[in-house]
Amino acid sequence: MKIVPPKPFTFNGDNGRAVLLLHGFTGSTADVRMLGRFLQKNGYTTHAPMFPGHGVPPEQLLETGPEDWWKAVKEGYEYLRAQGFEHIAVCGLSLGGLFTLKAGYTFKVNGIIPMCAPAITKEQDHRLYNGLLQYAKEYKRYEKKDEQTIENEMADFKNDTDPVLSAIPELISTIREQLHEIKVPIEIIQAGKDEMVDPDSAHVIYDEVSSRQKHVQGYKGAPHVITLWNEKEKVYEQILSFLEQLDWE
C-alpha cells in the first residue's frame, strides 16, 4: 500500500506575527498540526516544514542527515520572511526543539520554545536506535507488508543506521556548545515521561542559555510527543501565554 506522505503546512493568522513549527526525528508535520491550528485561532500565522526523509519509507531517512534537515528549517524561516513577517518565534519538538535552539542563535527571532529537546548525549544512541527501528517497523506494517517481508527488510535496514544515528549526538553536542549564544526569551517545555530524551536536558538548556527571560515548564505525566498528549491543551496554553508576553516590536 502506498502511503501519502504528510506535507508542510501554513495556517494564516491575522495578528501580523508568525510561529515556525518544527517536528521531531521520525515524526512529521502531523505532530505539530493541532498546535498550528490552535495558534492560528489565536491570531498567529504558523508554518511547518517537512524534514527530508521523513513521512516516507524509512530507507529514505537513512539517506539524509542534519544538514538536510537544517536546510528545511532555514527555508521555512525564509518563507515566513518572504511573506513579510518581521516578527517570528520558533517552536519545535525533539529534533525540532534542538533546531529551535539553533534558530535562537542563528536567526532574528522574538522568542523560542524548545519542547523535549535533547541536550545530553548519554544513552541517546540507544534511545535513537530503538526509536528508529520501531518507526521503521510500524511504517512497514502500515504499508500492509507481511511479517516475513518486514523481518527481511528490517535485517537490511539495521545494517545501514549508523551514519544517521551517529550524526544526531554530534549535532546535540555542537548545539550545546553554542547555548550561551542564545539571548532571546525562551520557554523550555519538558515531558516527565520522556522515553526518547533525558528530561534533565531541560535544566541543562536553562542553565546554559544567556537569556534574561527564561523558564522551564515540566509536565509529569507527558510522553515524548507532548504535542499529541491527552492533556496537550495545557501545553498549547503555555505556549500561547509565552507568545503573548513577548516583546513583538
Side-chain angles (χ1 to χ4, degrees):
M1 186 180 83
K2 191 168 167 44
I3 297 173
V4 179
K7 293 181 172 63
F9 67 74
T10 305
F11 300 146
N12 294 306
D14 57 12
N15 67 6
R17 303 166 183 173
V19 182
L20 180 64
L21 294 174
L22 306 174
H23 69 77
F25 181 63
T26 72
S28 74
T29 50
D31 295 341
V32 291
R33 192 176 186 85
M34 283 187 285
L35 173 58
R37 283 294 188 202
F38 171 82
L39 293 176
Q40 179 197 27
K41 284 177 188 167
N42 286 279
Y44 294 86
T45 292
T46 56
H47 175 66
M50 272 291 292
F51 296 159
H54 289 70
V56 291
E59 286 77 9
Q60 293 181 37
L61 178 55
L62 303 184
E63 295 169 11
T64 65
E67 288 182 11
D68 305 299
W69 311 328
W70 175 244
K71 187 180 175 205
V73 176
K74 284 198 293 186
E75 287 171 352
Y77 177 79
E78 286 160 7
Y79 170 81
L80 287 171
R81 296 286 292 181
Q83 299 302 304
F85 289 100
E86 294 181 11
H87 303 298
I88 300 170
V90 185
C91 175
L93 171 71
S94 189
L95 173 66
L98 194 58
F99 282 139
T100 295
L101 296 169
K102 186 171 181 177
Y105 62 79
T106 305
F107 305 144
K108 179 179 178 286
V109 294
N110 293 75
I112 58 173
I113 308 147
M115 301 179 285
C116 305
I120 297 167
T121 54
K122 188 183 176 190
E123 292 185 26
Q124 194 60 53
D125 299 25
H126 179 65
R127 289 172 172 170
L128 282 168
Y129 180 71
N130 288 341
L132 180 58
L133 294 192
Q134 183 183 348
Y135 162 72
K137 196 171 277 190
E138 285 174 1
Y139 192 98
K140 292 175 186 300
R141 283 180 179 148
Y142 196 58
E143 288 179 298
K144 299 283 194 281
K145 291 181 175 176
D146 64 80
E147 287 300 315
Q148 188 58 56
T149 301
I150 291 172
E151 202 174 306
N152 294 342
E153 289 185 2
M154 286 301 297
D156 292 334
F157 184 82
K158 287 175 185 177
N159 292 329
D160 297 326
T161 60
D162 277 358
V164 72
L165 290 180
S166 61
I168 295 175
E170 285 176 25
L171 179 69
I172 295 169
S173 297
T174 301
I175 291 175
R176 180 170 176 177
E177 287 169 9
Q178 309 299 321
L179 287 179
H180 66 279
E181 293 183 28
I182 296 174
K183 299 184 170 100
V184 296
I186 179 171
E187 182 73 19
I188 304 155
I189 291 174
Q190 180 58 52
K193 291 190 174 175
D194 198 323
E195 67 282 9
M196 286 295 292
V197 168
D198 187 330
D200 287 339
S201 288
H203 297 288
V204 169
I205 295 165
Y206 180 89
D207 290 340
E208 296 187 9
V209 297
S210 301
S211 310
R212 276 191 282 181
Q213 184 184 336
K214 58 181 179 177
H215 178 248
V216 178
Q217 181 64 50
Y219 291 90
K220 279 185 182 176
H224 180 63
V225 185
I226 197 168
T227 50
L228 301 181
W229 180 38
N230 59 5
E231 295 182 52
K232 57 189 174 293
E233 291 78 12
K234 292 180 182 176
V235 181
Y236 295 0
E237 291 288 353
Q238 180 79 30
I239 291 167
L240 178 62
S241 175
F242 171 74
L243 292 172
E244 296 288 279
Q245 290 168 28
L246 291 177
D247 178 6
W248 290 96
E249 296 306 315

